[in-house]
Amino acid sequence: MKRYSFLIPMLLFLLHGSYFMDYVVDDSAITLCYARNIAAGFGPSLSPMGELVEGYSHPLWLLLLVPFALVGVPLFLVIKLLGALTALAALYFLTKLPTIQEERPFELSDLIVPSLLALNTGFVMWSLSGLENGLTCLLSVLLLQSLAMNDWKRTTASAMLLSLTRPEGILLALIALLFLQEDRVKSLSLLVSGMSFFLLLRYHHYSQLLPNTYYAKKGLGLWGLLSPVSPGWSYLIHSVRESGTWPLIFLIPIGLYGCNRKSRTRLGLLLLATSIFPLWAGGDWMPCGRFLTTSFFLIFLLAQIGLQYLMKSFPQKFLQPVLLVLFLSWPIVKAFQSTAHYSKNPTVHTKYRVARGEFFEKLSKRLHLSKASVLEPDVGGVAWGGPNLEVIDLSGLCDLALARHRFRPRFFLPYILEEKKPTFVHLHGAWIALCGLTSN
């Protein structure tokens, strides 16, 4: 039984993921457009005739897609497979993590954390949505594993890859390397050298040190971090409630107490670091903790340590099942509820935006327009469906000027109507009120 028990979380993930097999979020199509245009020789841009701008925040994920684009493999299939494989690998290594950290044989209780993660709607949905969430979790688990083994080479490699996967990756990498027992200075030097080289490449190519997504999502800054009433803190609280993990939050202090001093400091700092980006950015309007998948697995990890400590403190065997049900039942119930809802009501599904891009592409040809453009807030699917269109990104992710100035009255209307002059304009929902085009 124990020999194949590592398959249980993986099977749970596959069963859970079957509800999201058709789902690809529009943001992932932005990355696909970049990969397609790089492979076609147009450079890193949203559309062939668009400006060269770093409208993505996961360089490593894009780099993984480019070779498949070069050989003509369907990229929508690639991102689904890569998302599933990286998530499954994360669950496998997460199952092995306690045995490496504690230097003991495998126990069935080691399945608690990966099973909770496999049942977490946010982890499953976003890993299969075409985004880098599965890869981020995999590299985070490998970072903890190599750190527990005190393998400075693997730790440094995991840290460098994680730094290129998510905006907060560099912070997680630095914290992890500070806890290396040997060759700490060498590892930090390699990380700093590697990231400096990457920043030089970015500056050479884009003439800026930070990605354009930083300016588009710069959010609230220090106020978002420090103010308990900021949208970032509201996002964290809502995500914890939505995922049903709030009972596990009470186990975190017990889990930290039950760790040794070094592990307590390391895991506490890593969990804190995973919350900095959503606080700084002011949260996220998409559901199920899209920015918090790494936070969830660290919460589950510390909660398991806390639960084991409690169970040792109560030797009465009849209390142990009560503790398990008390703390683990609600996350599972909420997972079923969230999956039932979001599998039927997907957030910004790419296929509808692709159809819209195809419509504008056909319309421009029917009107015999040699060059056509569209102003659109959901740009990924539209750019994919209309490869010959210039797509003007209203959200600012793929537009240098809009990322910095957004909807300032003196800037926005002259920029859109006099400089960009879109052929087509498609607005919906809150974007209509934000841009003010219809009121003018």
Side-chain angles (χ1 to χ4, degrees), residues 399-419:
D399 190 288
L400 289 170
L402 282 172
R404 286 156 177 77
H405 304 291
R406 301 303 293 271
F407 305 112
R408 295 177 185 173
R410 293 184 180 180
F411 160 78
F412 182 76
L413 290 179
Y415 177 71
I416 295 298
L417 300 179
E418 297 173 17
E419 183 175 338

Side-chain angles (χ1 to χ4, degrees), residues 152-423:
W152 74 271
K153 293 181 180 179
R154 286 182 56 185
T155 304
T156 306
S158 301
M160 292 184 73
L161 292 174
L162 186 59
S163 299
L164 297 173
T165 306
R166 282 287 305 160
E168 68 273 19
I170 183 65
L171 187 57
L172 297 174
L174 286 171
I175 291 171
L177 293 186
L178 287 174
F179 285 91
L180 271 175
Q181 295 178 8
E182 299 176 3
D183 297 300
R184 183 186 306 158
V185 175
K186 186 187 295 185
S187 295
L188 286 169
S189 300
L190 284 172
L191 177 65
V192 171
S193 300
M195 292 308 298
S196 299
F197 179 70
F198 173 73
L199 289 175
L200 285 174
L201 285 178
R202 173 185 281 160
Y203 188 80
H204 173 74
H205 201 79
Y206 296 111
S207 300
Q208 55 185 21
L209 289 175
L210 296 173
N212 198 55
T213 51
Y214 165 78
Y215 300 99
K217 293 183 177 181
K218 59 185 176 182
L220 305 169
L222 287 176
W223 182 76
L225 289 172
L226 302 176
S227 173
V229 295
S230 71
W233 282 103
S234 298
Y235 170 73
L236 292 184
I237 294 169
H238 173 74
S239 298
V240 167
R241 287 177 176 173
E242 186 180 36
S243 62
T245 54
W246 63 264
L248 305 181
I249 299 296
F250 296 104
L251 290 171
I252 290 178
I254 302 171
L256 290 171
Y257 179 79
C259 296
N260 59 54
R261 183 177 178 182
K262 182 172 288 187
S263 296
R264 181 187 310 141
T265 308
R266 181 175 66 225
L267 291 174
L269 286 175
L270 287 173
L271 180 59
L272 183 64
T274 59
S275 64
I276 287 179
F277 175 74
L279 288 174
W280 182 277
D284 181 31
W285 66 273
M286 291 190 183
C288 294
R290 182 173 60 134
F291 293 160
L292 296 172
T293 48
T294 306
S295 302
F296 284 138
F297 105 73
L298 288 171
I299 289 171
F300 297 154
L301 189 62
L302 284 167
Q304 182 194 16
I305 297 171
L307 188 59
Q308 289 176 330
Y309 185 85
L310 278 180
M311 292 174 75
K312 289 177 182 177
S313 303
F314 294 95
Q316 298 89 346
K317 289 188 176 181
F318 74 92
L319 284 177
Q320 295 181 358
V322 174
L323 288 172
L324 285 171
V325 172
L326 179 65
F327 287 104
L328 302 183
S329 58
W330 190 240
I332 295 172
V333 170
K334 290 297 291 183
F336 280 100
Q337 291 178 349
S338 296
T339 298
H341 175 73
Y342 290 113
S343 60
K344 295 177 182 178
N345 304 279
T347 305
V348 200
H349 202 310
T350 299
K351 66 180 180 182
Y352 305 117
R353 279 76 191 172
V354 171
R356 193 153 67 229
E358 292 171 346
F359 168 77
F360 285 126
E361 179 99 353
K362 292 176 182 178
L363 185 59
S364 63
K365 290 179 179 178
R366 186 167 295 181
L367 295 172
H368 304 290
L369 301 175
S370 58
K371 182 180 178 181
S373 60
V374 56
L375 178 67
E376 166 74 49
D378 304 324
V379 295
V382 172
W384 183 268
N388 297 311
L389 293 170
E390 179 187 359
V391 182
I392 305 166
D393 185 4
L394 188 59
S395 67
L397 294 174
C398 304
D399 190 288
L400 289 170
L402 282 172
R404 286 156 177 77
H405 304 291
R406 301 303 293 271
F407 305 112
R408 295 177 185 173
R410 293 184 180 180
F411 160 78
F412 182 76
L413 290 179
Y415 177 71
I416 295 298
L417 300 179
E418 297 173 17
E419 183 175 338
K420 301 303 285 188
K421 298 179 181 178
T423 313

Side-chain angles (χ1 to χ4, degrees), residues 21 24 32 65 68 73-84:
M21 291 309 295
V24 178
L32 297 187
L65 295 174
F68 295 100
V73 181
L75 289 182
F76 277 95
L77 175 63
V78 171
I79 56 170
K80 297 296 284 188
L81 290 176
L82 281 179

